[in-house]
Amino acid sequence: MTTRASSTRLPRDERREQLVVLGRELLGTRPYEQVSIGELARAAGVSKGLLYHYFPTKSDFVVAVLEQSHAELAEQMTPDPALPAEQRLDAAIDAVLRYAEEHRQGFLATMRARHGPDETIREVLAAARARRVSSLVELAARRAGAPREEVESPLLQAAAEGWVHLSEHVIGRWLERGDLERDAVLALLRDTLLGALDAGLAARGSPAPVR
Amino acid sequence: MTTRASSTRLPRDERREQLVVLGRELLGTRPYEQVSIGELARAAGVSKGLLYHYFPTKSDFVVAVLEQSHAELAEQMTPDPALPAEQRLDAAIDAVLRYAEEHRQGFLATMRARHGPDETIREVLAAARARRVSSLVELAARRAGAPREEVESPLLQAAAEGWVHLSEHVIGRWLERGDLERDAVLALLRDTLLGALDAGLAARGSPAPVR
């Protein structure tokens, strides 16, 4: 913990954002189930009352942290348009792995929270997963050289969703066990993603694109 | 519910097995969280006391049902040695899909139970998943034409585990939403499985086998 929300008066939005940034630092290294609002307030150098002013419940605070994390990850994953298409996918997967490394505990806590008791948090996580699936359908459309409307199907969605589950497991295992090489994880995720999208596109009747 | 454990005296093992069979019928059509021991006893035509004699807790009963289901599924998935290798995989996946269709509610309840509160049930399910992963590693070895010890690696395990997650999601979605064709699900599972195993084998340095 390096940053502190000093007691200096800050505009409302800035103070809120600063608290979220502090929350991310703390929740990136400790499972959020174990972090109390009191501890968050102490770490931020503010009163519990002020924290509750911005975030009426711990769930609201966690949701704000998750939303900021998702926005940041989406930004990091946005491919550099100068990169060739094949490298863009590797760059996006690399961004996810870097994000998982940097927010290890947060990433693992998020995996547990998908099945946790907090419904609001589960919904935020499900919405983020749905956005990820949607962007994979976009990727499949680019691979097929066809408009999204033409390639989108329940099967392609199922394939993309299934791969998201695969990737979450593989990344979680990589973080927890430490028995996988980072490069091998990246290659595994890329190859299985392309395979899943091609299999999801196959129902169109056209042959899967050659790699 | 067609069978009834009549009040005829039966040898201990037979009675126990009969109760498990009845439990499977009931738990295949209704989520087990919603089924009480009392209801199971009534459906089986025995007293609650007798049911408790064989299964001290509901969790014990569910575990017995799961173990019998897993054994049956494993048997159904055992490939017919007369089939060519490629068809054996399709036959095994077809057996899983048939099993999921026939025990729809049980299958969906099992998916929820993986993250449920009952630790014993979670352990039984995790052990079944581990056996499934192990058989996929065997399959990868056959594909690579090499002994298991030679191909087994954390990456191959991660790939197989990841695919198990993918497949559970896809089958669950197929059962719940009804917007996927059975044949397309089978092809998606087969293609993604072969892709995942080949990607998991790729770390050996040898090129992935041609399909």
Side-chain angles (χ1 to χ4, degrees):
Chain A
M1 183 64 43
T2 47
T3 338
R4 291 199 106 229
S6 76
S7 50
T8 326
R9 288 187 76 86
L10 284 174
R12 191 182 151 81
D13 281 1
E14 275 182 46
R15 168 58 56 97
R16 188 181 188 284
E17 205 184 313
Q18 196 182 36
L19 290 172
V20 171
V21 170
L22 284 164
R24 286 192 65 192
E25 279 187 38
L26 202 57
L27 297 176
T29 54
R30 294 259 313 277
Y32 76 78
E33 308 91 293
Q34 293 171 13
V35 179
S36 69
I37 276 279
E39 192 176 350
L40 287 167
R42 270 195 306 282
V46 301
S47 69
K48 262 169 93 163
L50 186 69
L51 201 58
Y52 276 121
H53 171 70
Y54 288 100
F55 308 99
T57 66
K58 186 171 147 188
S59 170
D60 293 324
F61 188 64
V62 172
V63 165
V65 166
L66 284 174
E67 282 173 345
Q68 208 218 40
S69 306
H70 294 156
E72 187 191 300
L73 178 58
E75 198 186 299
Q76 286 175 0
M77 284 179 69
T78 305
D80 176 351
L83 284 176
E86 284 288 298
Q87 286 177 38
R88 276 189 224 170
L89 178 56
D90 277 16
I93 296 174
D94 183 67
V96 176
L97 296 185
R98 199 166 51 241
Y99 176 85
E101 283 169 318
E102 286 171 3
H103 306 92
R104 193 189 141 78
Q105 288 300 330
F107 192 92
L108 295 172
T110 298
M111 285 183 59
R112 287 189 297 274
R114 289 191 190 290
H115 308 285
D118 191 311
E119 199 183 327
T120 316
I121 293 178
R122 286 205 312 271
E123 278 168 10
V124 170
L125 295 174
R129 232 185 208 168
R131 286 194 298 274
R132 211 164 308 140
V133 168
S134 175
S135 73
L136 295 178
V137 171
E138 286 288 347
L139 173 62
R142 283 200 299 279
R143 268 176 80 66
R148 181 185 176 124
E149 313 78 74
E150 213 172 275
V151 302
E152 193 154 24
S153 72
L155 190 73
L156 180 57
Q157 282 194 334
E161 289 163 5
W163 181 81
V164 167
H165 282 78
L166 178 152
S167 71
E168 286 167 1
H169 173 77
V170 170
I171 296 174
R173 178 184 161 131
W174 169 58
L175 290 180
E176 279 182 324
R177 300 240 203 136
D179 60 356
L180 301 173
E181 299 286 340
R182 191 185 195 282
D183 285 355
V185 170
L186 198 152
L188 176 64
L189 293 180
R190 180 227 302 129
D191 292 352
T192 52
L193 174 58
L194 296 178
L197 296 182
D198 291 351
L201 287 168
R204 296 168 72 220
S206 56
V210 178
R211 293 270 316 278
Chain B
M1 181 63 47
T2 48
T3 338
R4 290 200 107 226
S6 77
S7 49
T8 327
R9 288 187 76 88
L10 283 174
R12 190 182 153 82
D13 281 1
E14 274 181 46
R15 168 60 54 97
R16 188 181 189 282
E17 206 184 312
Q18 196 182 37
L19 291 172
V20 171
V21 170
L22 285 164
R24 284 191 66 191
E25 279 187 38
L26 202 57
L27 297 176
T29 54
R30 295 258 314 278
Y32 75 79
E33 309 90 293
Q34 292 170 14
V35 180
S36 69
I37 276 279
E39 192 176 349
L40 287 168
R42 269 195 306 284
V46 300
S47 68
K48 261 170 92 164
L50 186 68
L51 201 58
Y52 277 122
H53 171 70
Y54 288 100
F55 309 100
T57 67
K58 185 171 148 189
S59 167
D60 293 324
F61 188 63
V62 173
V63 165
V65 166
L66 285 173
E67 282 174 345
Q68 208 219 39
S69 307
H70 293 155
E72 186 190 301
L73 178 58
E75 199 185 301
Q76 285 175 1
M77 285 179 69
T78 305
D80 176 352
L83 285 176
E86 284 287 299
Q87 286 178 38
R88 275 188 224 172
L89 179 56
D90 277 16
I93 297 174
D94 183 66
V96 176
L97 296 185
R98 198 167 52 241
Y99 176 85
E101 283 170 319
E102 286 171 3
H103 306 91
R104 195 189 139 78
Q105 288 299 330
F107 192 93
L108 296 172
T110 299
M111 284 183 60
R112 289 189 297 275
R114 290 189 190 291
H115 308 285
D118 191 311
E119 199 183 326
T120 316
I121 294 178
R122 286 205 311 272
E123 278 168 11
V124 170
L125 295 174
R129 230 184 210 168
R131 285 194 299 273
R132 210 164 305 139
V133 168
S134 176
S135 72
L136 295 178
V137 171
E138 286 288 346
L139 172 62
R142 283 200 300 279
R143 269 176 80 66
R148 179 184 177 126
E149 313 79 75
E150 214 175 273
V151 302
E152 193 152 25
S153 72
L155 189 73
L156 179 58
Q157 282 195 335
E161 289 163 6
W163 181 82
V164 167
H165 282 78
L166 178 153
S167 70
E168 286 167 1
H169 173 77
V170 170
I171 295 174
R173 178 184 161 132
W174 169 59
L175 290 180
E176 279 183 325
R177 300 240 202 136
D179 60 356
L180 300 173
E181 298 287 340
R182 191 185 196 280
D183 285 354
V185 170
L186 198 153
L188 176 64
L189 294 179
R190 179 226 302 129
D191 292 353
T192 52
L193 174 57
L194 296 178
L197 296 183
D198 290 350
L201 286 169
R204 296 169 72 219
S206 56
V210 178
R211 292 270 317 275

